[in-house]
Amino acid sequence: MIQFSWTPLARDVLKFNVDGSTRGAPRAAGMRGVLWTSSGRVMCLFSKHLGHRESNTAGIMVIHKATDIVATNPVFQGRKIIIGSDSKVVVSWVNNNSFESINNVKLIYDIRNNLTKLGNMEVIYNARATNSFADILAKRGSNMEGDLFVCGDL
């Protein structure tokens, strides 16, 4: 049985728990995300194999995917969205003016552009223990168990 923790959100807030996973550095990598409603219902779920990557690149790629899903889907427009990642480094790169990852410049600027354009989305750090469901999906992606993308009324 899968066990995970859930902290209720404020009404009308959605939260994406995202995680990037690698099996070494660089090794097989995966990403995953789960979008929750304030009542704990899952609205969107994704998992994807990323090939060989290092862990911070996988972390940037998963936040990029989450911001793209929100930015391109009209159902999320005007909604407060929190994106939670268990990587302090990646969250810092996304939210600050500087970063050390020259290989991820385009993705970081795309993320920042989406955050600015929408104005109702933020990226925060989540402790690993609160990101367990996303972690399970990421390991699925890094194990090359197939890609998964489902959004809608789950």
Side-chain angles (χ1 to χ4, degrees):
M1 176 180 209
I2 298 172
Q3 294 184 2
F4 57 93
S5 64
W6 168 251
T7 303
L9 302 167
R11 186 172 166 84
D12 295 327
V13 173
L14 301 175
K15 184 170 185 191
F16 242 128
N17 287 94
V18 299
D19 197 12
S21 172
T22 60
R23 301 282 185 189
R27 294 288 230 199
M31 68 176 175
R32 67 297 195 170
V34 182
L35 180 64
W36 305 92
T37 66
S38 58
S39 65
R41 187 172 59 88
V42 174
M43 283 187 75
C44 191
L45 189 58
F46 69 85
S47 177
K48 181 172 179 59
H49 176 67
L50 300 173
H52 281 73
R53 304 269 192 258
E54 62 92 26
S55 61
N56 290 330
T57 297
I60 290 293
M61 291 175 80
V62 71
I63 292 172
H64 186 263
K65 175 73 171 177
T67 63
D68 265 357
I69 289 169
V70 172
T72 59
N73 192 328
V75 76
F76 301 127
Q77 303 309 308
R79 302 281 305 262
K80 169 74 175 165
I81 311 277
I82 299 169
I83 299 173
S85 168
D86 63 6
S87 172
K88 286 182 182 179
V89 170
V90 169
V91 169
S92 168
W93 289 349
V94 168
N95 290 324
N96 296 316
N97 291 328
S98 63
F99 47 87
E100 300 169 15
S101 179
I102 196 69
N103 295 330
N104 295 310
V105 167
K106 182 179 181 339
L107 291 175
I108 291 170
Y109 280 116
D110 283 351
I111 292 166
R112 290 178 182 176
N113 185 48
N114 281 337
L115 294 173
T116 301
K117 180 173 59 175
L118 295 170
N120 60 343
M121 190 167 37
E122 66 178 314
V123 178
I124 65 167
Y125 168 73
N126 275 347
R128 189 168 306 253
T130 65
N131 226 28
S132 58
F133 192 66
D135 185 57
I136 290 165
L137 291 173
K139 287 182 175 43
R140 180 181 188 267
S142 62
N143 287 334
M144 295 184 281
E145 294 176 21
D147 295 348
L148 168 71
F149 181 80
V150 181
C151 264
D153 194 18
L154 303 178

